[in-house]
Amino acid sequence: MFRPTSKPARAAAKAAAVSLSAVTVCAATPAALASAAPAPAGTVARQPAPDEAAGTDGTAGPHDIVFVQTSGEEGNRVVAYTRTPEGTLREAGSYATRGEGGRLRGTEADGYQASQGSLAYVPEESLLIAANSGSGTVSVFEVDGAKLTLRQVTPSGGGFPASIAVHGGIAYVLNAGSGGSVQGFTIDGPRLEPIAGSRRELGLSTDRSPLQYTRTPGQVGFTDDGSRLIVTTKANGSLQVFDVDDDGLLSAEPVTNDLAPSAPFAFVTDEDGRLVVADATNTVDTFTLWKDDTVHPVDSVDTGEMGTGRIARDGGVVYVSHTGSDALTAYRVAADGHLTPAGRTATGAGPTDLAVSPAGDYLYVQTTEAGAVETYRIGPDGGLTRTGTTTVPDAVGGEGIVAP
């Protein structure tokens, strides 16, 4: 049952979004690589700067911190929260990225960036990387508990950076403008250094029509072993897969897996060696990723929702947000890749990005129409119980959330 809205622009955007749904990709294990032919591929205390608000003393526990990006067009910020024992969020600091957020055309019912992964955490280095879509830059923060210290603002290597992937000291930024591109960086202390010769053009149609947000790429991500880099292209209808060498350089061209009329939006990797994809044609799909970078479909479920886009995994359960029908749906992913629906939860208006706490006990969901974050306790069966809703200052349309 779809929730009505009184806002004509949002209603029109919802109708346009019916054709978009998110695809999640799970990569195969190293053992699988060594066997069948074709074999599956490997799976996907400092003070703040003067203009930043003071944060906490860095004593928050390892599993109760959340960082949220505002995507503000007049100044992007990352807001830090700690979670209370009751499951509510308490603001712990607000930090300027010294860049600007951006907005794609047609995003009245979606986040401004229409992507997944615009905020990325690097656990090995305790770094947070934020995409400033309107400025064509990314910002690098050092993380100390809930405190952030801005260390670098650097060009993203293209227009409208919208998604960031990190693995083993390498970061790739997906630039969604001008046909799409990816640019590689090494993570060198609290800084990113561009990898010479790493930029790859995607050659997509990213026109500036009222449905521009459906034409731009949705997410970049590594397989779990770092051997592949995957890009979802939404209405361009494909998964693009690059090989990654030991120096972080990509193959000269991607293998383009044509999935049209599907519209893969976002993905997560599956520990059992498959891809689970949220597709903007309102399906959730699983694939096997083979050694030759092609994907083989395993299962597909029609969500019955509108505006399917982002996805998060908690063990054997994935959660998918539906911006057009203000809901989350859950699916159990079997070892063979088959999907079983596991419930529906109503949300506030315009759910987009979502993140699971490291302990797997909470789910955080951005609702872009109010610029809020909803907190849900995850039950033993994967069921969700809302424990709080927090309005993030100046975050209407904002995207990007991580729970380190």
Side-chain angles (χ1 to χ4, degrees):
M1 197 169 194
F2 302 141
R3 196 162 96 80
T5 177
S6 60
K7 298 188 177 182
R10 185 165 182 264
K14 278 187 176 184
V18 174
S19 64
L20 289 180
S21 130
V23 180
T24 311
V25 182
C26 310
T29 61
L33 284 174
S35 58
T43 57
V44 150
R46 297 175 172 85
Q47 296 300 315
D51 66 334
E52 297 170 343
T56 68
D57 61 2
T59 58
H63 299 327
D64 58 4
I65 298 170
V66 184
F67 295 111
V68 184
Q69 184 168 244
T70 68
S71 307
E73 294 179 87
E74 297 182 357
N76 190 18
R77 301 187 74 85
V78 176
V79 185
Y81 291 91
T82 57
R83 192 186 71 234
T84 69
E86 295 75 29
T88 60
L89 297 182
R90 178 180 298 143
E91 186 174 334
S94 180
Y95 303 88
T97 67
R98 298 184 186 172
E100 297 175 352
R103 181 172 186 170
L104 295 170
R105 298 189 69 187
T107 56
E108 289 84 357
D110 206 322
Y112 289 173
Q113 293 161 307
S115 66
Q116 178 166 292
S118 61
L119 197 61
Y121 180 63
V122 188
E124 299 85 356
E125 303 289 342
S126 293
L127 298 179
L128 189 72
I129 308 173
N132 302 308
S133 296
S135 301
T137 62
V138 293
S139 299
V140 183
F141 293 90
E142 281 193 287
V143 179
D144 177 16
K147 279 187 177 181
L148 299 179
T149 302
L150 182 65
R151 292 302 183 192
Q152 182 190 29
V153 181
T154 191
S156 67
F160 207 90
S163 181
I164 303 160
V166 295
H167 185 278
I170 301 294
Y172 265 89
V173 177
L174 171 63
N175 296 293
S178 303
S181 65
V182 291
Q183 170 68 50
F185 298 84
T186 57
I187 302 171
D188 185 8
R191 300 181 63 83
L192 299 181
E193 297 294 338
I195 300 173
S198 64
R199 179 185 166 98
R200 297 290 184 270
E201 301 292 339
L202 302 180
L204 304 175
S205 169
T206 56
D207 63 72
R208 292 191 54 78
S209 74
L211 291 181
Q212 182 190 31
Y213 79 109
T214 71
R215 306 294 299 180
T216 53
Q219 184 187 356
V220 62
F222 285 99
T223 55
D224 284 0
D225 66 356
S227 67
R228 304 289 188 273
L229 189 78
I230 301 169
V231 177
T232 61
T233 70
K234 292 188 289 193
N236 285 276
S238 67
L239 292 175
Q240 295 195 359
V241 183
F242 292 90
D243 291 326
V244 184
D245 71 16
D246 292 341
D247 296 322
L249 286 171
L250 305 182
S251 49
E253 300 286 341
V255 171
T256 298
N257 293 274
D258 185 1
L259 304 179
S262 293
F265 191 122
F267 68 92
V268 292
T269 56
D270 181 276
E271 60 190 1
D272 291 321
R274 305 198 199 293
L275 306 178
V276 184
V277 178
D279 194 286
T281 59
N282 301 313
T283 64
V284 175
D285 310 312
T286 56
F287 297 89
T288 298
L289 174 60
W290 296 111
K291 188 176 180 180
D292 63 359
D293 296 340
T294 61
V295 298
H296 175 73
V298 177
D299 198 10
S300 180
V301 174
D302 188 334
T303 68
E305 306 291 342
M306 296 174 61
T308 302
R310 286 81 170 177
I311 186 168
R313 182 173 65 85
D314 182 22
V317 177
V318 294
Y319 298 96
V320 179
S321 65
H322 308 281
T323 305
S325 48
D326 303 337
L328 304 171
T329 54
Y331 304 87
R332 291 188 179 87
V333 185
D336 63 1
H338 283 83
L339 298 162
T340 302
R344 181 187 191 273
T345 303
T347 69
T352 54
D353 271 4
L354 61 172
V356 174
S357 66
D361 52 352
Y362 280 88
L363 177 71
Y364 307 101
V365 181
Q366 286 181 287
T367 52
T368 56
E369 188 163 305
V373 174
E374 296 180 354
T375 304
Y376 295 85
R377 183 177 289 113
I378 301 174
D381 62 351
L384 301 177
T385 301
R386 190 185 305 183
T387 58
T389 299
T390 303
T391 299
V392 181
D394 302 316
V396 171
E399 286 187 85
I401 185 168
V402 296

